[in-house]
């Protein structure tokens, strides 16, 4: 079963990088790899208008109401988003998002026709204690079928330390083994955590690594283009 690779740019709380307006991906590339951009809420509309396929970095399951500072999944959908990140470790850590809330976001996103990319991953302490699989299994437990999973070990995010291809493959195969029926073949599992132009190919060459969720390196459009090229080469 071949899964179309997906490379996603998580710009986090950064302005669009210089040169972003030229980042629109040519159709011949998009036929071979799906590319998504996750700009700040303020930048989403301009990026969509410029032809980028965009998603929200977060979306609240409730449609509207007294939730100061939040944006709903429905609002993202109405703005033209195609996808949403759910449960990024920075949201879990800084905003106390729970597995239950993440599952509710994923459910609502699917209902709205937004593609949820759900982030899971262990801390360094959990890995050193040999609990990484247990932690990820728990994070996955409540999720609906039909999501894309992003394995992002917390110790690799923004640190310059990447999981080795073997560590990534081992966890991705474990995640896949937990999926039932057809979902085992069809679900894409992305790797995230200091993926860059230099290490993308060896990670993406792993049989259960179906793409990448890229933070820092996505802020350099040339480097991001190299990661997209690596995904095509590994497909
Ligand atoms: P990073 O971020 O590539 O800067 O490690 C990845 C992410 O947090 O999604």
């Amino acid at each position: 079963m071949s899964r179309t690779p997906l490379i996603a740019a998580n710009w986090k709380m950064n302005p669009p990088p210089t040169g972003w307006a030229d980042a629109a991906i040519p159709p011949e590339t998009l036929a071979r790899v799906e590319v998504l951009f996750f700009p700040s809420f303020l930048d989403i509309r301009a990026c969509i208008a410029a032809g980028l396929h965009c998603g929200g970095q977060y979306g609240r399951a409730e449609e509207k109401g007294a939730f100061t500072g939040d944006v709903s999944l429905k609002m993202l959908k109405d703005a033209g988003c195609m996808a949403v990140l759910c449960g990024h470790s920075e949201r879990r850590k800084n905003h106390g998002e729970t597995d239950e809330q993440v599952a509710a976001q994923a459910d609502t996103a699917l209902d709205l026709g937004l593609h949820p990319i759900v982030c899971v991953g262990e801390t360094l302490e959990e890995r050193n204690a040999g609990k990484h699989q247990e932690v990820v299994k728990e994070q996955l437990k409540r999720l609906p079928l039909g999501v894309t999973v992003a394995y992002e070990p917390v110790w690799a995010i923004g640190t310059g330390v990447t999981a080795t291809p073997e560590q990534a493959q081992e966890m991705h195969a474990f995640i896949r083994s937990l999926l039932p029926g057809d979902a085992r073949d069809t679900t894409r599992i992305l790797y995230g955590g200091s993926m860059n132009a230099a290490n993308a190919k060896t990670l993406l060459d792993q049989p259960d690594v179906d793409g990448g969720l890229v933070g820092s390196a996505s802020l350099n459009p040339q480097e991001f283009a190299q990661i997209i090229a690596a995904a095509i080469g590994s497909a």
Side-chain angles (χ1 to χ4, degrees), residues 10 12 88 152 156-158 193-195 213-216:
N10 180 7
K12 307 193 179 186
H88 189 281
E152 298 208 302
I157 295 177
S194 299
M195 183 182 271
L213 179 54
V214 186
S216 327

Side-chain angles (χ1 to χ4, degrees), residues 48-133:
I48 292 174
L52 303 190
H53 293 174
C54 288
Q57 296 174 15
Y58 161 77
R60 194 170 179 105
E62 292 85 351
E63 189 176 326
K64 58 183 178 172
F67 300 106
T68 303
D70 281 0
V71 165
S72 75
L73 290 160
K74 172 82 167 48
M75 292 159 95
L76 293 176
K77 176 73 182 174
D78 291 346
C81 284
M82 306 170 79
V84 63
L85 299 182
C86 301
H88 189 281
S89 68
E90 288 153 13
R91 298 287 317 175
R92 293 179 189 262
K93 177 165 174 273
N94 299 329
H95 299 269
E97 282 188 37
T98 63
D99 290 337
E100 288 77 8
Q101 287 168 329
V102 173
Q105 291 162 20
D107 280 328
T108 305
L110 288 170
D111 287 347
L112 289 167
L114 274 177
H115 187 69
I117 299 178
V118 181
C119 306
V120 297
E122 80 286 354
T123 63
L124 190 56
E125 292 69 35
E126 289 162 344
R127 177 162 279 268
N128 288 341
K131 293 190 168 151
H132 43 297
Q133 293 192 340

